[in-house]
Amino acid sequence: MTATSRPRPRRLPLALALAMALPAAHAQQAQPGHDHQPKDLAAVEVKATPFADTAEDLARPVEVLAGERLDEAKANSLGETVNRLPGVQSSYFGPGVGRPIVRGMDGARVQVLSDGLGSGDVSTVSVDHAVSIEPFLADQIEVLKGPSTLLYGSGAIGGAVNVIDGRIPEAVTDQPLQGRAELRGNTVNDERTGMFRLDATAASGNLVFHVDGLHRETGDYDIPGYAESAAHLAEEGETPDPASKGTLPNSFVRTDAGALGVSWVGERGFLGLSASLFDTRYGVPGHEHAHGDGHDHDHDHEGEPGEEQDAGHEEEGGVHIGLDQRRYELRGGLDDVGPFKSLRAKFAHTDYTHTEYEGDGAVGTVFDNASNEARFELVHQPLLGWEGALGLQWAERDFEAVGDEAFVPPSQSRDAGLFWIGRRGFGPVGVELGARVDRNKIDVDDAVAVGPDRDFDTASLSAALKWDVSDALHLSFGLDRAQRSPTAEELYSSGLHVATASVEIGDPDLDVETANRAEIGLHWHGGPFRLGLALYQTRFDDFIYLADTGIEEHDGPVRVWTQDKARFTGAEAEFEWAFADNASGAWNLRLFGDVVRGELDGSGTRTLDVSVPHGDHSHDYTVELARDGNLPRIAPWRAGGEVRWELGSWRASLGAVRYARQDRVAQFESETPGYTLVDAHLAWHQDTAAGNAWEVFLDGSNLLDEEARPHTSFLRDVAPLPGRGVAFGVRMFF
């Protein structure tokens, strides 16, 4: 059955009706005193570690988004949502796909977590695969910068992003029934989004329920000029069609997400379960196989939402993707268990299907992924002055890709890890130590294997120190030795990767990569000022990366997975100044900047033999790769600032970020021009006598309508970021 023949229910009207009805239904029983005050993000408790610490207390670098700051930052993708945190940027493969990049590292080096467990998707397999977590349903997002293998294993050697959604309640609610809802639209893509969440405690006081839901529809988005960059048009010798100016074809998104959860909560612990779904369909810009009269650019949404849009995109020849994930979780916690302060156990089973549709609606390739993951944490009582936590993590993944464009063979992965992390105070100095060992096994399907099964053993060590020089000045130091096992994609890829219009060749002989990191940080706050600085360097042995060979096959470049020594060096800074608080309102200035360089750390060149599949035979090449120079797709330096204002029920902000020209490029890679993105936010918040609250908002993005092409994107020459847009809507808290 093709995508056009599948009936689509009218989910959006149902979501909007629910969102509007919930506050009214609750107004009769809500109690006064609704609290929606701005949150001090430095004081928010971080859930990604076993200890109940805030971002400011931790010796490791952590960024947190919550409250109003999270509301303003929420976007279609997780990467775009966290994109303006220091040291964090986003990949980009159209508006439906954006994965976090932490200090220059992404993909299989940055673990994406749903409250401490892996997301269960295959977003590390290919850059066109979306993360299966909906940012609009998040309560809090935490970014652990630097190696997080100690807590989360091999896939977190570059960091971790933990999304807290509260789908399994761990405590009774403050009121018998509480929640929030939001309706929004956007001028840049004709967005229509409705979401809601409800949390309720039964009369018995022990059963707590959760439900949430979201529906989003967007059309093709507006851009300042043409989809293709001037450099790309010149290289191809093409003249753009004037009728194609102003809209990025095949950039639509439609998403449905929701969950049900229930927990039994007692005095010493809880036990709960949840079921959730994430279903999204999105176009892949730059992958149109156009036929007919061309694209329609008028954002016309008349008729059945979704159904006509799918049909329209298929008529236009747009390659698009359908992603469906079903997830089931069981979690429990118990406090004061003999010699242990607490026990936490988590288990998740995920069924994931990712279908790539060709321009005529026919199925091209189907990716199936079934995964299980379990995690146990025991926080023990102080032992010889050390407070610590023991942890056990186990995961398995059964992956299969079927279709003519399946460039990765079926495989089964098994991972098991054991860790301990401990901390102790010595006067004004706090010390944290940790160690972890992992066993990773990858079995590849013998029928299509391009290499043998592989086993890996990895070990990671970590030490961090936080020195409270005074009440206002804090210094932190970190040393890590972390290891990562190669993934099945890096080992066994062999064939045309349509998403990147390239041929990817894996290396089944890849070894474990080892990272040694050193970091120094400073945090100072005094009166109206707050300053944070960080300097770091990570040196890799056997760093695994995707290198261009300079060879062209199947009308695209040939890239090989290979490894060599590498070095990442970077710095981050953030400054805040509450410079006025008077009759005109409370005013705050925030400035931030970050820079990272990713370089190969060898010398000379090395020779590789490359065999490219070509039907029933192969083409063999010998290539020379440089052992020094820049790594590909490293984000450029940037600097930004914003002014925030609050007065009574009103708040507003105006900000800008300058992304520099990236001219430190890898072998066979082209430079990317810089650009400046200006944004603004305006909101009016009103508490009601019934204890509810309403908030009306306007959010402007890319207000200068600049042509912006992120260097981290494989699509930068054919898919710029959206042009000027204004999001508007209403939020309800009850």
Side-chain angles (χ1 to χ4, degrees), residues 132-361:
S132 59
I133 292 178
E134 175 50 58
F136 273 87
L137 296 174
D139 294 334
Q140 180 173 314
I141 299 177
E142 306 161 352
V143 181
L144 281 67
K145 298 186 289 188
S148 302
T149 51
L150 193 68
L151 291 171
Y152 294 108
S154 183
I157 196 170
V161 179
N162 190 37
V163 180
I164 309 298
D165 53 32
R167 285 176 163 173
I168 296 181
E170 298 186 11
V172 298
T173 56
D174 295 332
Q175 301 177 19
L177 179 66
Q178 61 188 47
R180 63 178 292 168
E182 182 173 323
L183 306 176
R184 70 159 49 210
N186 198 315
T187 61
V188 77
N189 56 7
D190 285 350
E191 176 186 0
R192 293 173 290 174
T193 296
M195 63 81 63
F196 72 93
R197 67 169 292 159
L198 269 176
D199 296 280
T201 300
S204 66
N206 294 114
L207 283 179
V208 186
F209 301 91
H210 171 92
V211 59
D212 64 51
L214 173 139
H215 179 77
R216 175 190 298 114
E217 292 181 12
T218 75
D220 292 346
Y221 64 73
D222 298 330
I223 56 177
Y226 295 101
E228 296 85 0
S229 67
H232 181 73
L233 290 170
E235 182 180 346
E236 298 294 325
E238 297 179 357
T239 301
D241 180 0
S244 67
K245 186 177 183 179
T247 301
L248 183 64
N250 201 32
S251 57
F252 74 95
V253 178
R254 185 181 59 243
T255 303
D256 295 292
L260 294 170
V262 61
S263 292
W264 184 92
V265 178
E267 292 183 0
R268 293 177 51 208
F270 74 97
L271 179 65
L273 55 87
S274 70
S276 61
L277 66 88
F278 181 82
D279 184 280
T280 187
R281 181 165 302 210
Y282 52 92
V284 181
H287 288 64
E288 299 79 28
H289 306 303
H291 53 283
D293 295 329
H295 298 280
D296 179 75
H297 300 286
D298 60 3
H299 294 308
D300 185 6
H301 289 285
E302 294 180 3
E304 178 69 34
E307 188 171 313
E308 286 195 5
Q309 189 172 12
D310 274 356
H313 281 282
E314 288 173 10
E315 288 171 4
E316 294 166 5
V319 176
H320 64 283
I321 288 172
L323 185 162
D324 181 270
Q325 178 174 287
R326 310 298 168 99
R327 184 178 176 94
Y328 309 93
E329 292 192 41
L330 176 66
R331 296 173 183 259
L334 188 62
D335 296 330
D336 299 324
V337 188
F340 299 100
K341 286 186 176 181
S342 65
L343 163 67
R344 294 290 183 269
K346 308 175 182 180
F347 173 80
H349 171 78
T350 304
D351 291 313
Y352 172 101
T353 299
H354 170 110
T355 305
E356 299 182 354
Y357 295 93
E358 300 294 342
D360 57 1

Side-chain angles (χ1 to χ4, degrees), residues 419-482:
F419 67 88
W420 176 83
I421 183 171
R423 63 182 185 180
R424 181 177 178 179
F426 297 90
V429 177
V431 177
E432 183 180 291
L433 300 176
R436 178 176 177 125
V437 292
D438 284 89
R439 175 73 170 173
N440 312 109
K441 180 177 176 63
I442 301 177
D443 296 328
V444 66
D445 191 327
D446 293 336
V448 292
V450 293
D453 298 341
R454 297 293 306 274
D455 294 329
F456 302 96
D457 293 304
T458 60
S460 299
L461 300 170
S462 178
L465 181 149
K466 183 172 180 289
W467 177 22
D468 296 330
V469 181
S470 67
D471 291 339
L473 179 62
H474 313 281
L475 298 177
S476 60
F477 306 88
L479 293 172
D480 297 275
R481 178 189 183 274

Side-chain angles (χ1 to χ4, degrees), residues 537-541 564-568 598-603 627-629 631:
Q537 184 174 92
T538 305
R539 290 182 176 269
F540 281 88
D541 292 326
D564 209 333
K565 291 185 177 182
R567 179 178 67 248
F568 284 76
E599 304 168 283
L600 292 172
D601 203 19
S603 61
R627 301 194 62 195
D628 57 3
L631 286 165

